[in-house]
Amino acid sequence: MKIKFTKMQAYGNDYVYMDAIHQSLPELNQLAKAVSDRHFGIGSDGMVLICPSHAYDFRMRIFNPDGSEAEMCGNALRSTAKFVYHHGLTTKRDLIIETAGGHQSVQLEVKDGSVVNIKANIGRPELRARKIPVNTELEIYHEQELRIPGRTYLASSLSWGNPHTVLLVKDVDTLDLEKDGPLVEHHENFPERTNVTFVQPVDQTHARIREWERGTGETMGCGTGCCSAVVVLNRMGLCGKSVDVEQPGGVLRVDWDEAGMVHMTGPSHVVYEGEYHYEA
């Protein structure tokens, strides 16, 4: 069968998007594995489905490369909003999109009929250690020493429906990410594994990160990793609440407002569109 898809990229997050409202998609877990195969022509970080929602504008379902269903990705959320506007599924510029991790509001900036920037409110970070989850009796896992062979990091953890551990470093360019990323991901302190955000504070309005994505490896960009870094650095007094976060995929703007909501702003790019011939 032929399945229409759009490949979109937002700061390194490279997903395949499919309209699941106007076409029927088979065997979703197997389909996600197929389109996420990194040796395949349209390979990606995962598969995103645009689905109808009974309560909100749309529902987003996101699948990992191994076929398992994930809860939320901020960059995928922003690209989903661009997808529905450019494909004529909506004319609205203010959207509420449902995910397995909750619902988020998204604002589109449109110029000459095209979406040029996307601002997503991804909600409040969860800081309580028992909900992240972290293997500790501490109420908040914040500025804790985390030891791995050869290194001791200052670590903090939080969650957006998926856990992130933020590690403070002096220079992200000198990291041995291939070595330290897996050691932190599988550390005994994180019984369900964790995404790992290495952050270098630059000044009150600028930070740099590199991200080790659990189960995948280093990623060019991670929106929730950027947001996690700003929340942790702000709590440590190392940055303000409006910060440009530099990562290999580009600079993402993060704002933590007075209500405790975190917003990420940046563009998304269509890589190409086509049809996938899937043998169910």
Side-chain angles (χ1 to χ4, degrees):
M1 65 183 300
K2 295 180 181 179
I3 300 172
K4 292 182 178 180
F5 73 90
T6 300
K7 188 175 183 180
M8 303 178 74
Q9 185 178 84
Y11 289 117
N13 278 140
D14 205 3
Y15 287 96
V16 168
Y17 294 78
M18 296 180 180
D19 177 358
I21 299 175
H22 300 100
Q23 62 182 345
S24 178
L25 302 176
E27 301 178 343
L28 295 180
N29 302 101
Q30 294 302 318
L31 180 62
K33 289 181 182 180
V35 301
S36 299
D37 184 346
R38 291 176 182 271
H39 300 288
F40 182 65
I42 63 166
S44 74
D45 291 326
M47 179 178 76
V48 177
L49 306 184
I50 292 86
C51 307
S53 172
H54 298 297
Y56 305 104
D57 294 302
F58 297 95
R59 180 165 67 103
M60 179 185 86
R61 295 181 67 185
I62 180 170
F63 291 80
N64 297 314
D66 63 2
S68 61
E69 189 162 359
E71 291 186 329
M72 208 275 284
C73 169
N75 282 336
L77 179 75
R78 292 187 302 105
S79 292
T80 294
K82 179 173 181 174
F83 179 100
V84 297
Y85 188 87
H86 277 187
H87 284 78
L89 302 185
T90 185
T91 59
K92 296 174 62 176
R93 300 185 184 187
D94 292 337
L95 301 167
I96 300 178
I97 297 176
E98 177 185 357
T99 73
H103 63 276
Q104 283 82 26
S105 60
V106 186
Q107 295 177 314
L108 301 176
E109 180 185 348
V110 179
K111 289 184 179 179
D112 300 325
S114 296
V115 175
V116 296
N117 226 0
I118 310 149
K119 181 178 182 179
N121 176 358
I122 63 169
R124 295 182 178 88
E126 177 59 65
L127 299 170
R128 290 173 58 192
R130 291 179 179 83
K131 289 189 176 182
I132 292 172
V134 175
N135 184 19
T136 177
E137 293 302 315
L138 296 172
E139 182 62 26
I140 296 176
Y141 192 83
H142 184 57
E143 298 183 57
Q144 304 299 314
E145 284 195 352
L146 189 146
R147 294 181 176 85
I148 61 173
R151 286 292 298 270
T152 297
Y153 285 106
L154 192 63
S156 301
S157 288
L158 64 164
S159 178
W160 307 89
N162 54 347
H164 283 263
T165 295
V166 178
L167 306 174
L168 197 65
V169 297
K170 291 183 178 180
D171 184 358
V172 293
D173 292 331
T174 60
L175 288 172
D176 187 350
L177 204 64
E178 293 290 330
K179 172 179 173 289
D180 287 6
L183 291 175
V184 178
E185 175 190 355
H186 295 277
H187 196 277
E188 62 182 6
N189 284 20
F190 312 116
E192 295 187 22
R193 296 162 59 199
T194 184
N195 297 290
V196 188
T197 305
F198 296 91
V199 58
Q200 172 193 344
V202 178
D203 55 39
Q204 287 292 303
T205 62
H206 183 200
R208 303 176 67 213
I209 76 163
R210 287 174 68 188
E211 182 83 7
W212 180 268
E213 190 172 288
R214 58 178 175 166
T216 301
E218 182 172 10
T219 178
M220 293 291 289
C222 177
T224 43
C226 289
C227 294
S228 300
V230 170
V231 169
V232 170
L233 290 182
N234 180 265
R235 286 171 55 82
M236 297 174 72
L238 297 175
C239 76
K241 288 196 170 184
S242 294
V243 181
D244 290 325
V245 183
E246 178 187 345
Q247 54 189 330
V251 177
L252 188 69
R253 178 73 174 185
V254 177
D255 296 285
W256 192 11
D257 67 24
E258 295 306 314
M261 299 292 185
V262 177
H263 307 257
M264 61 169 74
T265 306
S268 169
H269 306 284
V270 174
V271 180
Y272 59 81
E273 297 184 307
E275 287 185 337
Y276 172 44
H277 297 262
Y278 179 68
E279 298 295 333

